[in-house]
Amino acid sequence: GRPADAGALKVNGIDMAKVRAEGVAPKDAVAALRTWFSAWGVPRPMCVAHNAPFDKAFLERLCLDAGARFMDVFDSRMIDTVGVCGSISLVIGDAFPDYKLGTCAQVLGVDMADVEGSAHGARYDSIMAGRVLVAALAKVSTREAAGSAVTR
C-alpha cells in the first residue's frame, strides 16, 4: 500500500504495526462491507458522516484500491452532520461554539458512555455521527412541535 500520513496517524491514534498485523486488504474490506450492507437489505447505503467530504474521499480511495467505484458500493448522496448542526443552530439558537463532532454531541446531549474507543477512531466517530444526526432531528422536531402548538 501507500505510506500513511504521520499527521493523520497521530490524530487517529492508528498504530501501523497493528494495521500490518490485523489490517484487511481493500478488496476484502469492500467485499465485507457489501456483505454486511446486503444482510441489512441495503445494497448501496447513504453515508452519514461528520465532515462528509473528508470521509467520502477516504471511501472513494478505498473503493478505487479495491477495484470498485464508490457509486457501486455506496449511494452517491451523503448526510453531513456538520451541515445538519449548522442548520439546526438557526432553529435552536447559536448553541454550538464550534462544529467539531464532540462539541455537537455535547450540545445535543449525545451519550457515548456505552461505546468503546475514543474520538477520531472510525467506529467511535461513526456511532457518534449517527447519534448526533438522530439527536439533531429530534431537537428540530421537538422545537417545531412546540412552535406549531403555540401558533395554533
Side-chain angles (χ1 to χ4, degrees):
R2 296 177 312 281
D5 177 86
L9 295 176
K10 185 176 180 181
V11 167
N12 294 319
I14 295 172
D15 176 1
M16 286 309 296
K18 185 175 180 177
V19 170
R20 283 188 283 281
E22 300 174 18
V24 178
K27 192 169 193 165
D28 295 336
V30 169
L33 284 170
R34 284 180 161 161
T35 299
W36 191 71
F37 298 153
S38 291
W40 284 92
V42 183
R44 289 179 36 246
M46 182 185 304
C47 294
V48 173
H50 199 76
N51 190 13
F54 172 85
D55 291 320
K56 184 176 183 188
F58 172 80
L59 292 170
E60 285 174 335
R61 184 60 195 220
L62 172 69
C63 292
L64 182 67
D65 288 351
R69 293 181 325 150
F70 176 85
M71 300 209 16
D72 293 335
V73 179
F74 298 97
D75 189 296
S76 62
R77 299 165 295 173
M78 296 184 82
I79 298 174
D80 188 348
T81 54
V82 171
V84 170
C85 290
S87 296
I88 71 158
S89 69
L90 299 172
V91 175
I92 66 173
D94 191 15
F96 298 92
D98 61 58
Y99 292 99
K100 295 177 182 173
L101 180 56
T103 304
C104 292
Q106 183 178 21
V107 168
L108 293 168
V110 171
D111 182 11
M112 293 293 290
D114 63 320
V115 182
E116 290 183 38
S118 60
H120 303 297
R123 180 178 180 278
Y124 190 89
D125 282 1
S126 63
I127 292 169
M128 188 183 294
R131 290 181 181 182
V132 163
L133 177 62
V134 170
L137 294 175
K139 180 75 80 173
V140 169
S141 67
T142 300
R143 179 71 178 243
E144 285 179 354
S148 64
V150 171
T151 58
R152 285 187 195 169

